[in-house]
Amino acid sequence: MDTELIIKELISNKEVFWTNRGYEKFETGIAKAPLHLRDVMEAGARLQRFVPYMAKIFPETKETNGIIESPIVKIPAMQQHLEQVYQEKLYGNLLLKCDSHLPISGSIKARGGIYEVLKHAEDLALQHGLLKPTDDYSVMDSEAFRNFFSQYSIAVGSTGNLGLSIGIISAAMGFKVTVHMSADAKKWKKNLLRSVGAVVVEYESDYSKAVEEGRKQAEKDPLCYFIDDENSRHLFLGYSVAALRLTQQLEDLKIKVDAEHPLFVYLPCGVGGGPGGVAFGLKLMYQDFVHCFFAEPTHSPCMLLGLITGLHDQISVQDIGIDNITAADGLAVGRPSGFVGKLMEPLLSGSYTVSDRTLYRLLYALADTEKIYLEPSALAGALGPIQLLKTESGQKFVNTHLLQDKMKHATHIIWATGGSMVPKDVMDEYLQIGLDLSDLSVDAGDSLPD
Ligand SMILES: *Cc1c(COP(=O)(O)O)cnc(C)c1O
């Protein structure tokens, strides 16, 4: 599909599947990136230094030895369901990466958000001679350290999950923390944050405004550190560490990724840092053998719009008359990160949109078939394999990259980004909506773009 046609489809809130013309071979694409493998390794090493501390203050990380990591699981019953509903055979492995079940804050934000707070705490402690990198970091679990950190504050703007991650870890370490929340943010997320001692500031407008206000207020206070979801390299690197660990998880499952065994990864995208960081790490690990796709709601396709126009953060979905109103609160972002869009431009295979109706149907289906419960945003990846195989542009991608004969040995990873902390009554509502929608037949205009 050409650019003009795609933009028309976006404006009419259609589901589209776009493949990236700016995609390059790994060698040349990665050479343009301002970050490198050594940066990802360094972030991984930093998280390793915090292991004794995390294991101590968050006993739920005991199982994963103080590491914030999620399981990856096969979902054969969901695979069968998708094949039936969409009338398409899905060869190869279909896996779900359960960042929805990450310890501490139950979403992908437990990677980047917690990483950046830990880095800031480490920087402060090192600067003040309270810590050496070779120390046992569990010393930070003390009144002395909490008192020290309490002189400093941390601020962030969020649609919910980033605020949760940063609020929980910052408060636990002793920082004062303020979360600026957009109108989409769910009530239970605000309540939970207040219960751990975070200050929650609510806005009537969307995510971009919450971030802007947060940034403004933080600038006034020299002891306040602002976590900038739109521009932060630290957040990005925190997310990217997922890739270092995924290689081991796939090895454990005896799943190969090489020239004959392509890997496809489908990542829900809001402002871009989470999916961008993970995809960047995956490209470093698997180079040309991995194909990363972003997934956005039909009402908030900000990254796709930024990439397709080349305007990145200089255009918002509102600029072309899209309302940025979606049930996928984690993805309700109207303007993408320019930093991530530019970095990912040569590395991203493509991007697609999913309607809220489809998200709810998939939410219900995954719960029904696999007993895995996610929030609406986290289902955006689940349509990826279908879109790749069923759309004209998806098939063109497969053919262009000479993957036709390799699809039988492919692995598809749906990145599930949040949901395990959703309260039961809220989850029951999601399930009911999904069930009601599933009774209707899947009409072509709703689920298939081409
Ligand atoms: C934040 C979030 C994403 C996307 O991450 P971005 O960094 O905003 O692109 C996806 N899913 C969920 C559930 C999220 O909370």
Side-chain angles (χ1 to χ4, degrees):
M1 272 206 264
D2 67 359
T3 304
E4 238 173 81
L5 185 57
I6 292 242
I7 292 180
K8 257 195 206 140
E9 302 262 271
L10 290 181
I11 292 172
S12 49
N13 305 128
K14 291 252 178 64
E15 290 183 341
V16 302
F17 187 88
W18 169 79
T19 54
N20 179 12
R21 281 205 204 114
Y23 181 71
E24 295 181 29
K25 281 271 177 208
F26 174 75
E27 289 278 316
T28 60
I30 203 72
K32 296 178 177 167
L35 295 168
H36 310 279
L37 178 59
R38 62 174 177 276
D39 300 308
V40 180
M41 306 283 279
E42 208 179 283
R46 177 167 290 110
L47 289 168
Q48 203 61 43
R49 291 198 288 280
F50 273 95
V51 156
Y53 174 75
M54 297 303 275
K56 208 164 158 205
I57 68 164
F58 294 110
E60 66 261 47
T61 64
K62 276 254 165 63
E63 231 174 275
T64 46
N65 301 317
I67 294 273
I68 302 169
E69 195 43 73
S70 70
I72 186 163
V73 297
K74 294 196 173 167
I75 45 170
M78 181 66 174
Q79 182 160 358
Q80 220 175 27
H81 169 87
L82 289 171
E83 288 177 340
Q84 258 166 24
V85 170
Y86 292 98
Q87 293 292 301
E88 182 72 34
K89 178 86 188 138
L90 270 171
Y91 293 103
N93 302 300
L94 182 67
L95 301 172
L96 190 75
K97 177 62 175 163
C98 302
D99 274 9
S100 46
H101 292 69
L102 279 171
I104 302 174
S105 65
S107 82
I108 189 170
K109 306 297 193 308
R111 298 186 183 278
I114 291 176
Y115 171 77
E116 184 156 358
V117 174
L118 295 179
K119 175 170 193 314
H120 180 57
E122 185 187 49
D123 286 347
L124 287 172
L126 292 172
Q127 275 161 24
H128 287 79
L130 301 172
L131 187 75
K132 292 192 301 297
T134 48
D135 285 348
D136 177 338
Y137 277 24
S138 65
V139 296
M140 277 189 259
D141 178 27
S142 66
E143 273 318 301
F145 267 94
R146 278 186 287 274
N147 276 334
F148 169 68
F149 290 133
S150 72
Q151 312 163 66
Y152 300 92
S153 58
I154 289 179
V156 67
S158 170
T159 62
N161 286 338
L162 185 63
L164 267 191
S165 291
I166 286 175
I168 292 171
I169 181 74
S170 301
M173 298 194 87
F175 289 104
K176 286 181 281 217
V177 57
T178 304
V179 180
H180 299 266
M181 288 256 191
S182 62
D184 326 272
K186 293 279 175 268
K187 193 151 191 254
W188 68 267
K189 293 181 183 174
K190 298 177 197 167
N191 291 345
L192 199 157
L193 273 172
R194 290 187 171 116
S195 78
V196 299
V199 175
V200 177
V201 186
E202 300 177 56
Y203 295 89
E204 302 264 324
S205 38
D206 81 351
Y207 162 89
S208 305
K209 180 77 179 166
V211 172
E212 188 189 318
E213 281 302 312
R215 189 185 285 125
K216 245 194 250 165
Q217 295 192 15
E219 271 166 8
K220 291 185 208 148
D221 177 358
L223 296 182
C224 182
Y225 181 80
F226 180 67
I227 295 187
D228 190 338
D229 199 17
E230 290 175 331
N231 299 296
S232 170
R233 291 176 177 216
H234 304 309
L235 274 178
F236 188 86
L237 288 171
Y239 292 119
S240 71
V241 173
L244 303 177
R245 301 174 184 160
L246 189 82
T247 55
Q248 187 60 49
Q249 289 187 315
L250 291 184
E251 267 179 45
D252 292 346
L253 288 169
K254 306 228 178 331
I255 288 175
K256 282 193 233 166
V257 180
D258 57 30
E260 295 309 314
H261 302 81
L263 173 64
F264 297 89
V265 186
Y266 310 96
L267 297 140
C269 179
V271 74
V278 171
F280 177 70
L282 288 171
K283 291 304 284 185
L284 288 168
M285 295 298 107
Y286 297 117
Q287 313 198 347
D288 292 322
F289 307 141
V290 65
H291 307 277
C292 299
F293 293 88
F294 287 172
E296 295 177 293
T298 48
H299 284 255
S300 309
C302 68
M303 185 59 78
L304 176 48
L305 183 64
L307 285 166
I308 207 170
T309 57
L311 292 171
H312 300 293
D313 56 347
Q314 301 305 304
I315 189 165
S316 73
V317 301
Q318 289 93 341
D319 291 341
I320 61 165
I322 300 175
D323 60 10
N324 189 29
I325 292 176
T326 169
D329 50 304
L331 311 179
V333 177
R335 187 185 298 279
S337 160
F339 156 64
V340 174
K342 286 170 207 163
L343 196 158
M344 289 308 295
E345 204 159 26
L347 299 171
L348 188 70
S349 294
S351 188
Y352 62 91
T353 58
V354 189
S355 74
D356 283 11
R357 294 158 58 113
T358 306
L359 292 176
Y360 276 121
R361 282 179 182 145
L362 293 167
L363 186 151
Y364 177 78
L366 188 68
D368 188 42
T369 57
E370 303 282 351
K371 303 280 169 277
I372 299 175
Y373 299 86
L374 304 181
E375 60 187 273
S377 298
L379 275 303
L383 196 65
I386 296 297
Q387 295 290 58
L388 178 69
L389 297 171
K390 268 210 106 123
T391 61
E392 227 179 273
S393 38
Q395 278 312 287
K396 209 165 140 198
F397 178 88
V398 169
N399 296 339
T400 310
H401 292 270
L402 306 176
L403 294 167
Q404 304 95 309
D405 301 336
K406 303 173 183 173
M407 294 310 283
K408 281 202 163 72
H409 320 287
T411 296
H412 301 269
I413 299 180
I414 295 168
W415 211 277
T417 44
S420 64
M421 286 176 65
V422 175
K424 185 163 184 319
D425 57 325
V426 179
M427 184 56 75
D428 286 344
E429 257 173 62
Y430 290 157
L431 291 168
Q432 190 59 51
I433 299 172
L435 176 60
D436 291 345
L437 287 169
S438 304
D439 288 341
L440 308 170
S441 64
V442 182
D443 52 299
D446 184 34
S447 55
L448 296 174
D450 278 343

